[in-house]
Amino acid sequence: MTVFLLLYLCADGTRTDCQVVRADSWSGPYAYEQCTGVVPGLTKAMTASNRKRHRFVCEVQGNAAEPAEHKAPRAFIHQSFRM
């Protein structure tokens, strides 16, 4: 199993207009636990106003076959952000 740590950079607190940036990834049986273990520290390191707009999410990318109704994963776009 592979887990991606995604950073959702959102325009405002509604989190409806967001850019997704892959921040890190882990592989193996404990990948999800490793990812969720770093999220609180990263979130705490953000300023209070950024915590309201942006968020970190751990997303599992399984190796098993996906059901037919599964949507394709989002494409990651390389961009430079200044905060």
Side-chain angles (χ1 to χ4, degrees):
M1 165 173 55
T2 300
V3 176
F4 293 118
L5 175 62
L6 304 176
L7 172 58
Y8 283 75
L9 296 169
C10 304
D12 59 33
T14 63
R15 295 182 178 165
T16 56
D17 181 25
C18 302
Q19 295 286 328
V20 181
V21 179
R22 185 174 129 190
D24 208 340
S25 65
W26 293 265
S27 293
Y30 303 105
Y32 188 77
E33 290 81 3
Q34 291 172 317
C35 183
T36 57
V38 300
V39 170
L42 292 172
T43 302
K44 186 176 179 182
M46 286 196 269
T47 63
S49 62
N50 281 338
R51 270 184 248 138
K52 292 177 184 176
R53 292 184 300 161
H54 313 309
R55 65 183 171 135
F56 288 97
V57 175
C58 295
E59 184 174 296
V60 176
Q61 298 291 312
N63 296 331
E66 298 291 339
E69 68 273 7
H70 178 74
K71 295 180 182 176
R74 293 185 182 123
F76 294 108
I77 300 170
H78 177 74
Q79 295 182 354
S80 176
F81 293 95
R82 293 182 186 195
M83 298 178 89

